[in-house]
Amino acid sequence: MMTARTQAVGFRSERGPILIALMLSTGLVAIDSTIVATAVPSIVRDVGGFESFPWLFSAYLLAQGVSVPIYGKLSDMVGRKPIILAGIGLFLLGSVLCGIAWSMPSLIAFRALQGLGGGAVLPVSITIAGDVYSLEERAKVQGYLASVWAVSSVVGPSLGGIFSSLGIWRGIFLVNVPLCLLAGWMLFRTLHEDIERARHRVDYAGAALLAGSLGLLILGALQGGQGWKWDSPLSIGIFAVGAVLLAVFLVVERRAAEPVLPSWVVSRRLLGTTALVAFGVGAVIIGLTSYVPTFLEGALHTSPLVAGLALAALTVGWPISASQAGRFYLRIGFKATALIGISITVTGLLALTLTSTTPNVVLVAASCFVVGLGLGLVATPTLISAQSSVSWNERGVVTSTNLFARSIGSALGVAVFGAVANAVYSNSTGDGDVPAVVAASGAVFLAALVGGILTVAAVLAMPAVKADAADAGERDSDPEKSRSVADT
């Protein structure tokens, strides 16, 4: 149960230690998402396996994406604290093993272990924030958590470059060790839960089927067109088996006493539409993060650092608007706030698309900043509205489902945008690589713009729920038997 009162939000407040712990936990995932890429050349020179290095990212994303819904359900059953501590522990173990990996296959396997830990850390951190902080405070807290991503977008590549230049690439994984220990210790000391112990019937069959089906479908989306052709027997077989397992999962869940992914998660209008919004947000993010650096480096021959800083403007705009989202949704409601945000997002994507034919670092950075401002006003209020519509013992699965939808949007976005870029690049009639890169990147930005426009429809489909009504419903539905509190 959320027992927090409206108080000061910040590091020096009563709940400051738990906010710091949540930011440290988020930082584990955020830094890891950017630090590895810059060290790939050093890793390949040391352990070999150039043809397999993309799996350093795919294995992590696959394990993380598959496990998110399962961790969300478990956190509703046994509490947030044991799940996030277990996630941090897995992430710590995976980091240590990555640091001593002796070959590319072993490194890939240990990256998957890291992903299993990350699948618990991020959604449960956001769920804890929803438990501990009131409706009025959550937007500001989301701003703090989003700022971690902004810092990590600069710190991650910088650390990766430093470790690589010094010839100690293993440090990019071992640097997680003190962060994991500190985050785990602070959560252990500051987060206390009062959970009524009850016997639960764990849906093992549902969890296995969900992991198997989603694993295959995400694998097919990540590797299609890259590891194998879309129309190859392997690709078709992976999607077919994944679809069959998903159908069996849906049948099993109807009979499960405590389904790992209850049907009401998507059948309720608010939860279904906010998940669709999250899906669109994930697609837009991956479109920019994957192709803005390539666009600038290929079209203007900028350094990776300059291209990365231009992209970082997106993660600077996001926390700025996210921290202010509460002022908007408390006055005009969640839907109206999200509509303002998605309008700003579409404007930024339109500017990026229109200016892609005349590449300019400043224009790209400004467009990314505008997109970030918009996404902060989309992702934050839609997630908080979903969290606020349910009780404590449902908030974990709702939060994880929202973040999982964002991950699926990113995974499918990689496939769609990659197909668009490859088609345009291969058919480009320009002389030299620069015109081809400009044409391909412009097509991807246009596809991201279409995704943003489609997300507008998802926002319009949201029910118009006022923040005060959601807050009242949350207080009425929270069972007194379960609570999460920060104790200093």
Side-chain angles (χ1 to χ4, degrees), residues 70-165:
I70 297 173
Y71 285 130
K73 178 62 178 180
L74 290 175
S75 74
D76 285 338
M77 297 173 66
V78 301
R80 324 296 187 209
K81 187 173 181 177
I83 300 303
I84 193 170
L85 290 179
I88 293 174
L90 285 174
F91 196 90
L92 173 62
L93 178 60
S95 298
V96 172
L97 292 174
C98 284
I100 62 175
W102 54 90
S103 65
M104 184 61 73
S106 66
L107 184 56
I108 291 171
F110 299 147
R111 282 283 288 168
L113 183 60
Q114 266 191 314
L116 290 176
V121 171
L122 188 58
V124 180
S125 294
I126 296 177
T127 305
I128 292 173
D131 293 338
V132 173
Y133 291 92
S134 69
L135 182 64
E136 293 85 353
E137 298 166 332
R138 287 176 195 163
K140 186 174 291 186
V141 173
Q142 290 299 321
Y144 276 97
L145 297 180
S147 68
V148 174
W149 292 90
V151 173
S152 299
S153 66
V154 178
V155 173
S158 300
L159 282 177
I162 292 172
F163 284 126
S164 296
S165 62

Side-chain angles (χ1 to χ4, degrees), residues 91-422:
F91 196 90
L92 173 62
L93 178 60
S95 298
V96 172
L97 292 174
C98 284
I100 62 175
W102 54 90
S103 65
M104 184 61 73
S106 66
L107 184 56
I108 291 171
F110 299 147
R111 282 283 288 168
L113 183 60
Q114 266 191 314
L116 290 176
V121 171
L122 188 58
V124 180
S125 294
I126 296 177
T127 305
I128 292 173
D131 293 338
V132 173
Y133 291 92
S134 69
L135 182 64
E136 293 85 353
E137 298 166 332
R138 287 176 195 163
K140 186 174 291 186
V141 173
Q142 290 299 321
Y144 276 97
L145 297 180
S147 68
V148 174
W149 292 90
V151 173
S152 299
S153 66
V154 178
V155 173
S158 300
L159 282 177
I162 292 172
F163 284 126
S164 296
S165 62
L166 294 175
I168 49 172
W169 62 264
R170 298 177 187 275
I172 68 174
F173 300 109
L174 298 180
V175 73
N176 293 325
V177 173
L179 294 177
C180 287
L181 294 175
L182 181 57
W185 177 78
M186 292 189 69
L187 284 169
F188 181 79
R189 289 289 303 273
T190 61
L191 180 64
H192 297 270
E193 295 179 310
D194 182 14
I195 310 297
E196 181 178 298
R197 300 301 174 186
R199 296 189 63 180
H200 294 281
R201 299 182 63 181
V202 180
D203 183 16
Y204 294 109
L209 288 168
L210 180 64
S213 61
L214 295 182
L216 289 172
L217 294 174
I218 295 175
L219 175 64
L222 288 174
Q223 294 298 310
Q226 300 182 40
W228 47 74
K229 293 182 179 180
W230 286 108
D231 58 352
S232 67
L234 178 59
S235 179
I236 295 173
I238 286 174
F239 281 113
V241 175
V244 170
L245 290 179
L246 184 60
V248 175
F249 165 75
L250 294 175
V251 174
V252 169
E253 291 302 271
R254 292 181 180 180
R255 303 176 181 178
E258 296 186 68
V260 67
L261 192 64
S263 60
W264 54 261
V265 172
V266 292
S267 63
R268 295 180 190 176
R269 182 181 169 188
L270 177 62
L271 301 182
T273 51
T274 51
L276 288 175
V277 172
F279 180 93
V281 168
V284 169
I285 291 174
I286 201 66
L288 270 60
T289 56
S290 298
Y291 289 93
V292 163
T294 301
F295 172 58
L296 292 177
E297 292 175 35
L300 297 177
H301 302 294
T302 61
S303 67
L305 177 60
V306 172
L309 290 175
L311 177 62
L314 185 150
T315 55
V316 171
W318 187 314
I320 291 175
S321 59
S323 63
Q324 301 301 313
R327 296 185 178 184
F328 286 89
Y329 66 64
L330 289 173
R331 293 182 180 180
I332 62 177
F334 297 110
K335 181 177 180 179
T337 302
L339 279 174
I340 294 173
I342 194 62
S343 300
I344 296 173
T345 301
V346 169
T347 301
L349 292 170
L350 179 61
L352 184 62
T353 303
L354 294 177
T355 59
S356 62
T357 54
T358 55
N360 181 283
V361 174
V362 175
L363 289 177
V364 170
S367 299
C368 288
F369 179 75
V370 172
V371 171
L373 285 176
L375 291 177
L377 290 177
V378 176
T380 299
T382 51
L383 173 60
I384 292 176
S385 66
Q387 286 184 329
S388 302
S389 69
V390 297
S391 59
W392 182 94
N393 59 340
E394 296 176 337
R395 192 172 295 137
V397 71
V398 165
T399 303
S400 63
T401 299
N402 190 277
L403 296 181
F404 175 68
R406 189 186 300 180
S407 298
I408 293 296
S410 293
L412 293 182
V414 167
V416 173
F417 296 144
V420 169
N422 290 335

